[in-house]
Amino acid sequence: MRTIMIMAAGALIVAGAMQLTKASAEEPIQRTDLVQNDIDVPGHEAVQVRVDFAPGTLAPRHHHPGEEIAHVLEGSLEYQLDGETPVTLQAGQSLFIPSGVAHSARNVGNGKASELATYIVAKGSPLVVPEK
């Protein structure tokens, strides 16, 4: 009887984990916060986030209250910064985005694309500010 209960509990845990994986896999953009820490610049902090894009997904125009360095981990991402020609980056390439510059990013590859976004931003401000 004890063996049956242990097996049933294990099956429930596996089923629950599969549901969590399925739910998160359906999100077009997933953000995973990695680091958030004060820095020596008064009133500012460093924030690092992994952003995963489903195929064809667009992160609409937005800006940040500080600088961003976007490093493509996998796939192909097209960045459109206001006033600039769009640029497509492949895995291993990086882009500097100045403070307050509106921009968008789109997964232009066939599979998932991911970036490591590092921000130096004003502490206490919203990290992402949508553009209207």
Side-chain angles (χ1 to χ4, degrees):
M1 182 68 162
R2 180 178 157 97
T3 303
I4 292 172
M5 291 177 67
I6 291 171
M7 290 176 59
L12 286 173
I13 291 170
V14 169
M18 288 174 61
Q19 287 298 321
L20 287 175
T21 302
K22 181 179 178 186
S24 64
E26 293 173 0
E27 297 295 322
I29 297 178
Q30 293 180 338
R31 295 179 57 88
T32 304
D33 295 337
L34 302 173
V35 175
Q36 182 173 4
N37 207 78
D38 290 345
I39 59 174
D40 288 342
V41 177
H44 288 75
E45 64 185 348
V47 179
Q48 197 166 55
V49 178
R50 178 186 175 115
V51 185
D52 297 302
F53 297 77
T57 298
L58 170 71
R61 288 181 69 243
H62 62 280
H63 70 272
H64 307 284
E67 289 81 12
E68 175 185 2
I69 299 170
H71 178 79
V72 178
L73 298 170
E74 68 178 293
S76 300
L77 289 168
E78 179 185 79
Y79 296 88
Q80 173 66 63
L81 280 64
D82 278 0
E84 302 286 331
T85 302
V87 60
T88 300
L89 301 182
Q90 307 299 322
Q93 295 181 306
S94 300
L95 176 68
F96 179 82
I97 303 170
S99 178
V101 172
H103 58 282
S104 62
R106 179 187 306 272
N107 179 351
V108 293
N110 295 323
K112 180 179 90 170
S114 301
E115 74 171 9
L116 180 63
T118 303
Y119 308 95
I120 304 297
V121 294
K123 191 171 180 173
S125 297
L127 185 59
V128 178
V129 180
E131 289 286 317
K132 294 179 182 185

PDB file of all heavy atoms in Angstrom, residues 49-74:
ATOM      1  N   VAL A  49      18.811  40.450 -16.855  1.00  0.00           N
ATOM      2  CA  VAL A  49      17.610  39.671 -17.142  1.00  0.00           C
ATOM      3  C   VAL A  49      17.847  38.818 -18.378  1.00  0.00           C
ATOM      4  O   VAL A  49      18.451  39.275 -19.345  1.00  0.00           O
ATOM      5  CB  VAL A  49      16.407  40.618 -17.410  1.00  0.00           C
ATOM      6  CG1 VAL A  49      15.159  39.844 -17.768  1.00  0.00           C
ATOM      7  CG2 VAL A  49      16.162  41.532 -16.227  1.00  0.00           C
ATOM      8  N   ARG A  50      17.363  37.587 -18.336  1.00  0.00           N
ATOM      9  CA  ARG A  50      17.336  36.751 -19.542  1.00  0.00           C
ATOM     10  C   ARG A  50      15.946  36.898 -20.141  1.00  0.00           C
ATOM     11  O   ARG A  50      14.935  36.791 -19.435  1.00  0.00           O
ATOM     12  CB  ARG A  50      17.608  35.287 -19.211  1.00  0.00           C
ATOM     13  CG  ARG A  50      17.544  34.405 -20.452  1.00  0.00           C
ATOM     14  CD  ARG A  50      17.667  32.939 -20.133  1.00  0.00           C
ATOM     15  NE  ARG A  50      17.474  32.171 -21.343  1.00  0.00           N
ATOM     16  CZ  ARG A  50      18.398  31.419 -21.921  1.00  0.00           C
ATOM     17  NH1 ARG A  50      19.592  31.318 -21.375  1.00  0.00           N
ATOM     18  NH2 ARG A  50      18.142  30.755 -23.022  1.00  0.00           N
ATOM     19  N   VAL A  51      15.909  37.167 -21.451  1.00  0.00           N
ATOM     20  CA  VAL A  51      14.630  37.320 -22.141  1.00  0.00           C
ATOM     21  C   VAL A  51      14.576  36.284 -23.259  1.00  0.00           C
ATOM     22  O   VAL A  51      15.459  36.243 -24.114  1.00  0.00           O
ATOM     23  CB  VAL A  51      14.464  38.740 -22.726  1.00  0.00           C
ATOM     24  CG1 VAL A  51      13.074  38.900 -23.328  1.00  0.00           C
ATOM     25  CG2 VAL A  51      14.719  39.807 -21.658  1.00  0.00           C
ATOM     26  N   ASP A  52      13.541  35.449 -23.232  1.00  0.00           N
ATOM     27  CA  ASP A  52      13.344  34.415 -24.239  1.00  0.00           C
ATOM     28  C   ASP A  52      12.151  34.797 -25.108  1.00  0.00           C
ATOM     29  O   ASP A  52      11.085  35.139 -24.588  1.00  0.00           O
ATOM     30  CB  ASP A  52      13.100  33.060 -23.582  1.00  0.00           C
ATOM     31  CG  ASP A  52      14.298  32.595 -22.770  1.00  0.00           C
ATOM     32  OD1 ASP A  52      15.390  32.467 -23.345  1.00  0.00           O
ATOM     33  OD2 ASP A  52      14.142  32.368 -21.548  1.00  0.00           O
ATOM     34  N   PHE A  53      12.339  34.739 -26.430  1.00  0.00           N
ATOM     35  CA  PHE A  53      11.315  35.116 -27.409  1.00  0.00           C
ATOM     36  C   PHE A  53      10.884  33.876 -28.191  1.00  0.00           C
ATOM     37  O   PHE A  53      11.725  33.203 -28.776  1.00  0.00           O
ATOM     38  CB  PHE A  53      11.878  36.099 -28.437  1.00  0.00           C
ATOM     39  CG  PHE A  53      12.329  37.416 -27.894  1.00  0.00           C
ATOM     40  CD1 PHE A  53      13.536  37.552 -27.229  1.00  0.00           C
ATOM     41  CD2 PHE A  53      11.556  38.548 -28.095  1.00  0.00           C
ATOM     42  CE1 PHE A  53      13.971  38.781 -26.764  1.00  0.00           C
ATOM     43  CE2 PHE A  53      11.980  39.781 -27.632  1.00  0.00           C
ATOM     44  CZ  PHE A  53      13.190  39.893 -26.957  1.00  0.00           C
ATOM     45  N   ALA A  54       9.588  33.634 -28.270  1.00  0.00           N
ATOM     46  CA  ALA A  54       9.071  32.583 -29.152  1.00  0.00           C
ATOM     47  C   ALA A  54       9.265  33.048 -30.603  1.00  0.00           C
ATOM     48  O   ALA A  54       9.411  34.243 -30.863  1.00  0.00           O
ATOM     49  CB  ALA A  54       7.590  32.335 -28.869  1.00  0.00           C
ATOM     50  N   PRO A  55       9.275  32.121 -31.559  1.00  0.00           N
ATOM     51  CA  PRO A  55       9.444  32.520 -32.966  1.00  0.00           C
ATOM     52  C   PRO A  55       8.443  33.596 -33.386  1.00  0.00           C
ATOM     53  O   PRO A  55       7.257  33.509 -33.070  1.00  0.00           O
ATOM     54  CB  PRO A  55       9.209  31.217 -33.734  1.00  0.00           C
ATOM     55  CG  PRO A  55       9.556  30.140 -32.759  1.00  0.00           C
ATOM     56  CD  PRO A  55       9.133  30.672 -31.411  1.00  0.00           C
ATOM     57  N   GLY A  56       8.934  34.632 -34.076  1.00  0.00           N
ATOM     58  CA  GLY A  56       8.084  35.692 -34.597  1.00  0.00           C
ATOM     59  C   GLY A  56       7.626  36.717 -33.577  1.00  0.00           C
ATOM     60  O   GLY A  56       6.947  37.684 -33.927  1.00  0.00           O
ATOM     61  N   THR A  57       7.983  36.556 -32.327  1.00  0.00           N
ATOM     62  CA  THR A  57       7.499  37.439 -31.270  1.00  0.00           C
ATOM     63  C   THR A  57       8.171  38.812 -31.319  1.00  0.00           C
ATOM     64  O   THR A  57       9.375  38.918 -31.515  1.00  0.00           O
ATOM     65  CB  THR A  57       7.735  36.801 -29.888  1.00  0.00           C
ATOM     66  OG1 THR A  57       6.998  35.581 -29.818  1.00  0.00           O
ATOM     67  CG2 THR A  57       7.279  37.712 -28.769  1.00  0.00           C
ATOM     68  N   LEU A  58       7.375  39.843 -31.099  1.00  0.00           N
ATOM     69  CA  LEU A  58       7.850  41.224 -31.053  1.00  0.00           C
ATOM     70  C   LEU A  58       7.727  41.756 -29.631  1.00  0.00           C
ATOM     71  O   LEU A  58       6.662  41.640 -29.010  1.00  0.00           O
ATOM     72  CB  LEU A  58       7.006  42.105 -31.984  1.00  0.00           C
ATOM     73  CG  LEU A  58       7.223  43.620 -31.859  1.00  0.00           C
ATOM     74  CD1 LEU A  58       8.585  44.017 -32.417  1.00  0.00           C
ATOM     75  CD2 LEU A  58       6.107  44.374 -32.557  1.00  0.00           C
ATOM     76  N   ALA A  59       8.802  42.350 -29.127  1.00  0.00           N
ATOM     77  CA  ALA A  59       8.735  43.154 -27.909  1.00  0.00           C
ATOM     78  C   ALA A  59       8.482  44.577 -28.395  1.00  0.00           C
ATOM     79  O   ALA A  59       9.366  45.196 -28.991  1.00  0.00           O
ATOM     80  CB  ALA A  59      10.042  43.056 -27.126  1.00  0.00           C
ATOM     81  N   PRO A  60       7.271  45.116 -28.219  1.00  0.00           N
ATOM     82  CA  PRO A  60       6.932  46.407 -28.800  1.00  0.00           C
ATOM     83  C   PRO A  60       7.789  47.555 -28.254  1.00  0.00           C
ATOM     84  O   PRO A  60       8.463  47.413 -27.239  1.00  0.00           O
ATOM     85  CB  PRO A  60       5.460  46.607 -28.439  1.00  0.00           C
ATOM     86  CG  PRO A  60       5.076  45.520 -27.538  1.00  0.00           C
ATOM     87  CD  PRO A  60       6.193  44.539 -27.442  1.00  0.00           C
ATOM     88  N   ARG A  61       7.717  48.699 -28.935  1.00  0.00           N
ATOM     89  CA  ARG A  61       8.527  49.870 -28.580  1.00  0.00           C
ATOM     90  C   ARG A  61       8.412  50.196 -27.096  1.00  0.00           C
ATOM     91  O   ARG A  61       7.313  50.278 -26.548  1.00  0.00           O
ATOM     92  CB  ARG A  61       8.089  51.082 -29.405  1.00  0.00           C
ATOM     93  CG  ARG A  61       8.483  50.990 -30.856  1.00  0.00           C
ATOM     94  CD  ARG A  61       8.076  52.210 -31.670  1.00  0.00           C
ATOM     95  NE  ARG A  61       8.861  53.372 -31.272  1.00  0.00           N
ATOM     96  CZ  ARG A  61       8.348  54.476 -30.736  1.00  0.00           C
ATOM     97  NH1 ARG A  61       7.054  54.596 -30.539  1.00  0.00           N
ATOM     98  NH2 ARG A  61       9.128  55.482 -30.409  1.00  0.00           N
ATOM     99  N   HIS A  62       9.584  50.390 -26.490  1.00  0.00           N
ATOM    100  CA  HIS A  62       9.685  50.724 -25.073  1.00  0.00           C
ATOM    101  C   HIS A  62      11.033  51.400 -24.847  1.00  0.00           C
ATOM    102  O   HIS A  62      11.858  51.463 -25.752  1.00  0.00           O
ATOM    103  CB  HIS A  62       9.565  49.455 -24.214  1.00  0.00           C
ATOM    104  CG  HIS A  62      10.659  48.457 -24.466  1.00  0.00           C
ATOM    105  ND1 HIS A  62      10.649  47.597 -25.553  1.00  0.00           N
ATOM    106  CD2 HIS A  62      11.824  48.211 -23.803  1.00  0.00           C
ATOM    107  CE1 HIS A  62      11.744  46.853 -25.530  1.00  0.00           C
ATOM    108  NE2 HIS A  62      12.489  47.216 -24.486  1.00  0.00           N
ATOM    109  N   HIS A  63      11.249  51.904 -23.644  1.00  0.00           N
ATOM    110  CA  HIS A  63      12.560  52.429 -23.287  1.00  0.00           C
ATOM    111  C   HIS A  63      12.856  52.076 -21.834  1.00  0.00           C
ATOM    112  O   HIS A  63      11.989  51.536 -21.134  1.00  0.00           O
ATOM    113  CB  HIS A  63      12.665  53.943 -23.543  1.00  0.00           C
ATOM    114  CG  HIS A  63      11.852  54.780 -22.613  1.00  0.00           C
ATOM    115  ND1 HIS A  63      10.539  55.110 -22.863  1.00  0.00           N
ATOM    116  CD2 HIS A  63      12.163  55.363 -21.434  1.00  0.00           C
ATOM    117  CE1 HIS A  63      10.078  55.852 -21.873  1.00  0.00           C
ATOM    118  NE2 HIS A  63      11.039  56.021 -20.989  1.00  0.00           N
ATOM    119  N   HIS A  64      14.071  52.377 -21.412  1.00  0.00           N
ATOM    120  CA  HIS A  64      14.512  52.066 -20.056  1.00  0.00           C
ATOM    121  C   HIS A  64      15.063  53.331 -19.404  1.00  0.00           C
ATOM    122  O   HIS A  64      15.577  54.210 -20.093  1.00  0.00           O
ATOM    123  CB  HIS A  64      15.603  50.988 -20.087  1.00  0.00           C
ATOM    124  CG  HIS A  64      15.200  49.769 -20.851  1.00  0.00           C
ATOM    125  ND1 HIS A  64      14.326  48.823 -20.363  1.00  0.00           N
ATOM    126  CD2 HIS A  64      15.521  49.363 -22.100  1.00  0.00           C
ATOM    127  CE1 HIS A  64      14.141  47.881 -21.271  1.00  0.00           C
ATOM    128  NE2 HIS A  64      14.853  48.180 -22.343  1.00  0.00           N
ATOM    129  N   PRO A  65      14.998  53.415 -18.070  1.00  0.00           N
ATOM    130  CA  PRO A  65      15.505  54.592 -17.367  1.00  0.00           C
ATOM    131  C   PRO A  65      17.024  54.509 -17.153  1.00  0.00           C
ATOM    132  O   PRO A  65      17.532  54.781 -16.071  1.00  0.00           O
ATOM    133  CB  PRO A  65      14.748  54.539 -16.031  1.00  0.00           C
ATOM    134  CG  PRO A  65      14.569  53.074 -15.786  1.00  0.00           C
ATOM    135  CD  PRO A  65      14.333  52.483 -17.160  1.00  0.00           C
ATOM    136  N   GLY A  66      17.721  54.091 -18.167  1.00  0.00           N
ATOM    137  CA  GLY A  66      19.176  53.939 -18.123  1.00  0.00           C
ATOM    138  C   GLY A  66      19.641  53.154 -19.338  1.00  0.00           C
ATOM    139  O   GLY A  66      18.857  52.864 -20.245  1.00  0.00           O
ATOM    140  N   GLU A  67      20.912  52.817 -19.355  1.00  0.00           N
ATOM    141  CA  GLU A  67      21.500  52.101 -20.485  1.00  0.00           C
ATOM    142  C   GLU A  67      21.177  50.609 -20.442  1.00  0.00           C
ATOM    143  O   GLU A  67      20.989  50.033 -19.374  1.00  0.00           O
ATOM    144  CB  GLU A  67      23.027  52.270 -20.494  1.00  0.00           C
ATOM    145  CG  GLU A  67      23.496  53.650 -20.855  1.00  0.00           C
ATOM    146  CD  GLU A  67      23.457  54.636 -19.682  1.00  0.00           C
ATOM    147  OE1 GLU A  67      23.282  54.213 -18.523  1.00  0.00           O
ATOM    148  OE2 GLU A  67      23.598  55.842 -19.939  1.00  0.00           O
ATOM    149  N   GLU A  68      21.164  50.012 -21.638  1.00  0.00           N
ATOM    150  CA  GLU A  68      20.995  48.562 -21.767  1.00  0.00           C
ATOM    151  C   GLU A  68      22.087  48.030 -22.687  1.00  0.00           C
ATOM    152  O   GLU A  68      22.411  48.643 -23.703  1.00  0.00           O
ATOM    153  CB  GLU A  68      19.630  48.215 -22.373  1.00  0.00           C
ATOM    154  CG  GLU A  68      19.476  46.718 -22.640  1.00  0.00           C
ATOM    155  CD  GLU A  68      18.177  46.351 -23.346  1.00  0.00           C
ATOM    156  OE1 GLU A  68      17.379  47.249 -23.684  1.00  0.00           O
ATOM    157  OE2 GLU A  68      17.976  45.148 -23.583  1.00  0.00           O
ATOM    158  N   ILE A  69      22.622  46.886 -22.319  1.00  0.00           N
ATOM    159  CA  ILE A  69      23.486  46.121 -23.218  1.00  0.00           C
ATOM    160  C   ILE A  69      22.761  44.810 -23.464  1.00  0.00           C
ATOM    161  O   ILE A  69      22.495  44.054 -22.530  1.00  0.00           O
ATOM    162  CB  ILE A  69      24.881  45.868 -22.617  1.00  0.00           C
ATOM    163  CG1 ILE A  69      25.572  47.197 -22.347  1.00  0.00           C
ATOM    164  CG2 ILE A  69      25.707  44.998 -23.564  1.00  0.00           C
ATOM    165  CD1 ILE A  69      26.845  47.073 -21.539  1.00  0.00           C
ATOM    166  N   ALA A  70      22.386  44.577 -24.725  1.00  0.00           N
ATOM    167  CA  ALA A  70      21.684  43.356 -25.111  1.00  0.00           C
ATOM    168  C   ALA A  70      22.686  42.414 -25.767  1.00  0.00           C
ATOM    169  O   ALA A  70      23.372  42.800 -26.716  1.00  0.00           O
ATOM    170  CB  ALA A  70      20.549  43.676 -26.079  1.00  0.00           C
ATOM    171  N   HIS A  71      22.784  41.204 -25.254  1.00  0.00           N
ATOM    172  CA  HIS A  71      23.688  40.189 -25.807  1.00  0.00           C
ATOM    173  C   HIS A  71      22.836  38.993 -26.219  1.00  0.00           C
ATOM    174  O   HIS A  71      22.141  38.405 -25.385  1.00  0.00           O
ATOM    175  CB  HIS A  71      24.726  39.767 -24.766  1.00  0.00           C
ATOM    176  CG  HIS A  71      25.637  38.699 -25.257  1.00  0.00           C
ATOM    177  ND1 HIS A  71      26.697  38.966 -26.093  1.00  0.00           N
ATOM    178  CD2 HIS A  71      25.629  37.357 -25.053  1.00  0.00           C
ATOM    179  CE1 HIS A  71      27.322  37.829 -26.369  1.00  0.00           C
ATOM    180  NE2 HIS A  71      26.682  36.847 -25.749  1.00  0.00           N
ATOM    181  N   VAL A  72      22.871  38.641 -27.499  1.00  0.00           N
ATOM    182  CA  VAL A  72      22.051  37.541 -28.007  1.00  0.00           C
ATOM    183  C   VAL A  72      22.712  36.214 -27.628  1.00  0.00           C
ATOM    184  O   VAL A  72      23.869  35.961 -27.963  1.00  0.00           O
ATOM    185  CB  VAL A  72      21.845  37.651 -29.529  1.00  0.00           C
ATOM    186  CG1 VAL A  72      21.027  36.469 -30.048  1.00  0.00           C
ATOM    187  CG2 VAL A  72      21.164  38.961 -29.878  1.00  0.00           C
ATOM    188  N   LEU A  73      21.966  35.397 -26.906  1.00  0.00           N
ATOM    189  CA  LEU A  73      22.456  34.089 -26.467  1.00  0.00           C
ATOM    190  C   LEU A  73      22.195  32.998 -27.499  1.00  0.00           C
ATOM    191  O   LEU A  73      23.005  32.093 -27.669  1.00  0.00           O
ATOM    192  CB  LEU A  73      21.790  33.694 -25.141  1.00  0.00           C
ATOM    193  CG  LEU A  73      22.067  34.619 -23.959  1.00  0.00           C
ATOM    194  CD1 LEU A  73      21.159  34.260 -22.782  1.00  0.00           C
ATOM    195  CD2 LEU A  73      23.531  34.528 -23.556  1.00  0.00           C
ATOM    196  N   GLU A  74      21.026  33.084 -28.147  1.00  0.00           N
ATOM    197  CA  GLU A  74      20.687  32.107 -29.191  1.00  0.00           C
ATOM    198  C   GLU A  74      19.679  32.707 -30.142  1.00  0.00           C
ATOM    199  O   GLU A  74      18.927  33.619 -29.792  1.00  0.00           O
ATOM    200  CB  GLU A  74      20.167  30.803 -28.585  1.00  0.00           C
ATOM    201  CG  GLU A  74      18.818  30.901 -27.899  1.00  0.00           C
ATOM    202  CD  GLU A  74      18.329  29.565 -27.371  1.00  0.00           C
ATOM    203  OE1 GLU A  74      18.038  28.665 -28.195  1.00  0.00           O
ATOM    204  OE2 GLU A  74      18.226  29.421 -26.152  1.00  0.00           O
TER     205      GLU A  74
END
